[in-house]
């Protein structure tokens, strides 16, 4: 530990009469000074939308390999790496492991700091399309996200082993720094306290929010460090009172704390861990168990403890869960009968590999199968999990620790009860019930439970409440029918995205005598006042007359320093950004629901006599994963009386890839041409945000559709039925395309979508 700030310890400074607040502030100032001297480049951009990331990258030159890291607006603690490759931006989600807090991209290695991750991808492509080169300048990375952070006052307090009362005062002080910052040696205060066995201070740290998950710069947890420091009592406290997990692996080597203790020869730590329920024979990345390590290093006492260890008597014996005559369909049937509760399970004999067993369990209303392997007829194990001397011990262990399964096992299905079950109709075989091994026991990638393929009623959006939807205090108050909102009643917040004429900001609108409403403020910046005001005003007028759950609502316009549209805030922002940033978070069930909801909103628009003219996934916003809203009415027009199409008289931005042939050729727009765009939007959704027609130019797209009579291809994983709908939307003759009414009905009446309901839709 380096010298304390000010050259004297905290205890000495307090004794000489200095206040605790002044001491805390002196550490803060000292660290701020050090941070300001950092010459490293600043690629970190805090919370930023995908659109703004692109904007910043372009502004900085957008050279090959230029990059930035931004924080997700929607998922707390999640980050995205945006890179320029072949002049185009690409975005990669940086996963944060819930078990270790380590960062990784796809199946790449885990890193404890974002700086370490960036350094790795600067050194070579390592699976990315290009290695990282220049950074797009933002802010200095927060110390809590670095592999090596700074020495805080809390680190110093641990170094001095301050008395508990004074230590608590530091932690209670509102100016106390983040407790999970690693110091210059790469350890948090909790790590330092565990290595030294400062148990009282450990409990205080835990009480005041120190994370037990955070790893040191080498990927070890607090429990690993307690073992390495030979602190058996600390090990006990960590597991019993701080929820430390004895099965958590060290990043890289895959050592669990028991490996650490065996390697060092600390038999008391081994005994404590085993008493706390740790598996006796876990395997690290190279397959070694703690016993192998103790033998290699001749730690005889440790060998004895490990060899003589007898696990506790299992809570459930085999008749409680072993079903020798059940196949996988019957297993699913039994679990379904039991209600598919989380952790409900049974063990059966594998038909595919006679002599092997399979664990079948339910989680999140899905069924999972895990092969239980058997080595030398002595060791039972799942995937690369610990070895057990019997099936009973294996089941008992997974009843206590999930260790790679989606959850702990809890409710066994007794084999004796199964004859008493009433007859059940034969279940349909479900593709996801393959007998597949579990995902590797997590170092940093826990298996994500698969989402159910149906949408239950509880997922449906709640009916609108008066403050969220359609609530406009008072009547329109301008000649154009637009409600004018007093700038005094609007508070501006952070930026949500970049619009064509200015930025879109978050805000709060408080009209006198009513509740505050969170809003999105679409601004018209000064430089666009002349060119954009008419467009802007027209968009507002179109939106003002619309009131449907799947269409973004306009509350009014506000003439402050800039002209602003005050709109309903759609919390999760652009659906396209969301799909691209979190492809694994969304699936077919969500896509079908979105398809139905967009059709419902468009049907409403058609009934009101409007054509949208810019229907595309970039203009769909997500209120939640179960509710989309159509936005961006900048190109929308009311169709004239006696006609059902609008003819554009001026040029301007034309999203040709979304346009129907008649719109491209003759500039005519109708609800039928919106249906074509709807087909392209569906295609974008089901291809998880791919660019329609790849890199083709507008002219090439026209040729592709007109001359070759070709259409966008079926996206991978897109159901045939949905692709058929797309093809119908792309009928060359506009009269042959389905109407939005029919499209919405199609989604609703198909048994596959039976659960999809769109509130507010008129039957
Ligand atoms: P423009 O039509 O001028 O291109 P958009 O309406 O597409 O602007 O808005 C740009 C970005 O701002 C969107 O991609 C989205 O991230 C954000 N945004 C726009 N409207 C809202 C809203 N009502 N709620 C939340 N975010 C919004």
């Amino acid at each position: 530990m380096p010298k304390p700030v000010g050259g004297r310890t905290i205890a000495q400074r307090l004794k000489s009469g200095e206040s605790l607040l002044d001491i805390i502030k002196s550490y803060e100032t000292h660290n701020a000074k050090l941070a300001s001297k950092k010459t490293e480049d600043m690629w970190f951009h805090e919370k930023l939308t995908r659109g703004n990331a692109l904007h910043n990258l372009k502004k900085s030159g957008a050279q090959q390999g230029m990059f930035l890291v931004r924080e997700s607006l929607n998922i707390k603690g999640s980050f995205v790496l945006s890179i320029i490759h072949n002049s185009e931006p690409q975005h990669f989600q940086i996963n944060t492991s819930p078990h270790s807090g380590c960062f990784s991209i796809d199946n790449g290695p885990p890193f404890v700091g974002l700086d370490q991750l960036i350094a790795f991808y600067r050194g070579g492509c390592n699976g990315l399309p290009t290695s990282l080169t220049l950074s797009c300048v933002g802010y200095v990375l927060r110390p809590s996200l670095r592999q090596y952070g700074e020495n805080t006052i809390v680190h110093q307090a641990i170094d001095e082993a301050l008395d508990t009362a004074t230590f608590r005062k530091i932690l209670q002080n509102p100016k106390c720094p983040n407790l999970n910052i690693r110091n210059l040696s790469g350890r948090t205060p909790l790590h330092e306290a565990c290595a030294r066995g400062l148990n009282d201070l450990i409990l205080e740290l835990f009480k005041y929010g120190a994370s037990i998950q955070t790893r040191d710069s080498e990927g070890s947890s607090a429990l690993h460090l307690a073992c390495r420091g030979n602190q058996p009592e600390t090990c006990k406290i960590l597991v019993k009172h701080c929820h430390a997990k004895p099965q958590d692996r060290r990043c890289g080597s895959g050592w669990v704390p028991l490996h650490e203790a065996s390697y060092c020869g600390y038999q008391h730590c081994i005994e404590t861990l085993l008493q706390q329920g740790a598996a006796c024979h876990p395997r690290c990345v190279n397959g070694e168990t703690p016993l192998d390590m103790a033998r290699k290093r001749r730690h005889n006492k440790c060998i004895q403890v490990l060899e003589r260890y007898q696990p506790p008597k299992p809570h459930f014996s085999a008749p409680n869960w072993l079903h020798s005559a059940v196949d996988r369909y019957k297993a699913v049937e039994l679990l379904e009968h039991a209600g598919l509760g989380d952790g409900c399970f049974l063990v059966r004999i594998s038909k595919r590999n006679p002599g092997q067993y399979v664990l079948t369990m339910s989680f999140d209303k899905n069924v999972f199968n895990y092969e239980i392997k058997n080595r030398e007829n002595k060791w039972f194990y799942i995937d690369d999990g610990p070895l057990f001397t019997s099936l009973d011990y294996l089941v008992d262990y997974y009843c206590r620790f999930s260790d790679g399964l989606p959850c702990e096992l809890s409710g066994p299905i007794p084999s004796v009860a199964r004859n008493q079950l009433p007859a059940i109709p034969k279940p349909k075989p479900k593709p996801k019930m393959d007998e597949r091994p579990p995902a590797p026991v997590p170092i940093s990638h826990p298996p994500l439970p698969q989402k159910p393929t149906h949408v239950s009623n509880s997922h449906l959006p709640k009916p609108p409440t008066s403050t969220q939807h359609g609530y406009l205090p008072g009547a329109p108050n301008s000649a154009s029918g637009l409600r004018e909102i007093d700038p005094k009643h609007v508070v501006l917040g952070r930026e949500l995205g970049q619009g064509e004429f200015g930025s879109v900001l978050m805000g709060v609108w408080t009209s006198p005598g009513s509740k505050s409403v969170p809003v999105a403020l679409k601004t018209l910046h000064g430089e666009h006042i002349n060119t954009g005001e008419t467009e802007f005003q027209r968009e507002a007028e179109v939106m003002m007359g619309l009131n449907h759950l799947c269409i973004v609502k306009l509350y009014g316009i506000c003439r402050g320093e800039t002209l602003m549209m005050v709109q309903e805030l759609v919390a999760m922002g652009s659906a396209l950004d969301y799909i691209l940033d979190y492809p694994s978070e969304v699936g077919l069930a969500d896509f079908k629901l979105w398809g139905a909801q967009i059709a419902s909103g468009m049907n409403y628009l058609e009934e009101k006599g409007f054509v949208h003219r810019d229907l595309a996934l970039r203009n769909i916003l997500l209120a939640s994963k179960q509710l989309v809203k159509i936005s961006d009415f900048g190109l929308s027009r009311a169709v004239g009386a006696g006609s059902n199409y609008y003819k554009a008289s001026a040029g301007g931005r034309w999203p040709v890839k979304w346009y129907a042939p008649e719109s491209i050729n003759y500039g005519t727009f109708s609800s039928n041409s919106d249906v074509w765009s709807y087909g392209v939007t569906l295609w974008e959704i089901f291809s998880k945000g791919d660019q329609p027609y790849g890199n083709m130019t507008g002219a090439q797209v026209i040729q592709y559709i007109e001359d070759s009579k070709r259409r966008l291809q079926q996206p991978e994983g897109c159901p045939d039925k949905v692709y058929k709908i797309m093809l119908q939307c792309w009928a060359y003759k506009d009269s042959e395309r389905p109407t939005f009414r029919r499209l919405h009905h199609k989604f609703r009446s198909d048994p596959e979508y039976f659960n999809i309901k769109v509130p507010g839709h008129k039957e």
Side-chain angles (χ1 to χ4, degrees), residues 36 90 129 163 199 257 377 473 622 744:
S36 70
Q90 295 200 9
D163 66 278
N199 297 338
N377 232 347
L622 276 185
H744 180 230

Side-chain angles (χ1 to χ4, degrees), residues 59 180 267 491 545 643:
K59 236 172 45 191
N180 302 319
Q267 104 247 21
V491 179
S643 156

Side-chain angles (χ1 to χ4, degrees), residues 49-52 73 495-506 519-523 536 539 543 552-553 566-575 577 614 618-622 631-634 653:
T49 59
R50 171 181 281 256
N52 289 350
L73 296 170
E495 194 171 276
L496 290 168
Q498 287 285 337
E500 194 186 347
F501 300 121
S503 43
V504 181
L505 306 175
M506 198 182 215
V519 290
L521 302 159
K522 199 163 171 175
T523 62
F536 203 74
E539 179 176 354
M543 287 183 78
V552 175
K553 214 162 299 301
V566 184
Q567 296 183 355
E568 159 191 15
L569 176 72
V570 186
M572 289 166 66
S574 153
D577 282 0
D614 200 5
R618 61 180 172 276
N619 291 326
I620 301 295
L621 300 178
L622 276 185
S631 83
D632 204 344
F633 291 80
R653 62 179 175 123

Side-chain angles (χ1 to χ4, degrees), residues 506-677:
M506 198 182 215
V508 178
W509 169 38
T510 317
S511 161
S514 357
K515 272 195 197 160
S516 297
V517 187
V519 290
L521 302 159
K522 199 163 171 175
T523 62
L524 178 69
H525 275 190
E527 72 261 35
H528 297 297
I529 295 269
N530 294 327
T531 47
E533 188 159 353
T534 328
E535 280 286 297
F536 203 74
Q537 180 104 1
R538 202 195 319 252
E539 179 176 354
E541 280 165 18
V542 169
M543 287 183 78
M544 204 65 207
L546 305 177
N547 186 6
H548 187 278
L549 186 64
C550 302
I551 293 181
V552 175
K553 214 162 299 301
L554 178 75
Y555 294 140
I557 56 165
C558 175
R559 295 176 198 275
E561 278 178 26
T562 62
L563 181 60
M564 295 186 291
M565 257 187 254
V566 184
Q567 296 183 355
E568 159 191 15
L569 176 72
V570 186
M572 289 166 66
S574 153
L576 177 62
D577 282 0
Y578 191 87
I579 277 198
L580 290 168
D581 284 344
Y582 310 106
S584 57
E585 297 281 319
V586 281
L588 287 184
D590 303 305
F591 299 161
K592 289 169 186 171
L593 184 61
W594 299 358
Q597 292 177 342
I598 299 169
S600 168
M602 290 303 296
N603 178 36
Y604 170 83
L605 205 65
E606 181 177 1
E607 282 171 3
K608 294 285 274 185
F610 284 105
V611 286
H612 188 287
R613 296 210 308 157
D614 200 5
L615 183 58
L617 190 54
R618 61 180 172 276
N619 291 326
I620 301 295
L621 300 178
L622 276 185
S624 72
K625 268 204 296 188
Q626 283 79 38
L627 180 60
V628 293
K629 293 189 183 251
I630 304 165
S631 83
D632 204 344
F633 291 80
L635 290 178
S636 303
R637 295 290 182 273
V639 290
S643 156
N644 58 0
Y645 72 89
Y646 166 83
K647 188 154 173 51
S649 51
R653 62 179 175 123
W654 277 33
V656 167
K657 288 182 173 180
W658 282 260
Y659 271 9
E662 70 276 10
S663 308
I664 302 171
N665 294 330
Y666 311 111
T668 55
F669 294 88
S670 61
S671 291
N672 292 343
S673 61
D674 275 349
V675 166
W676 179 290
S677 315

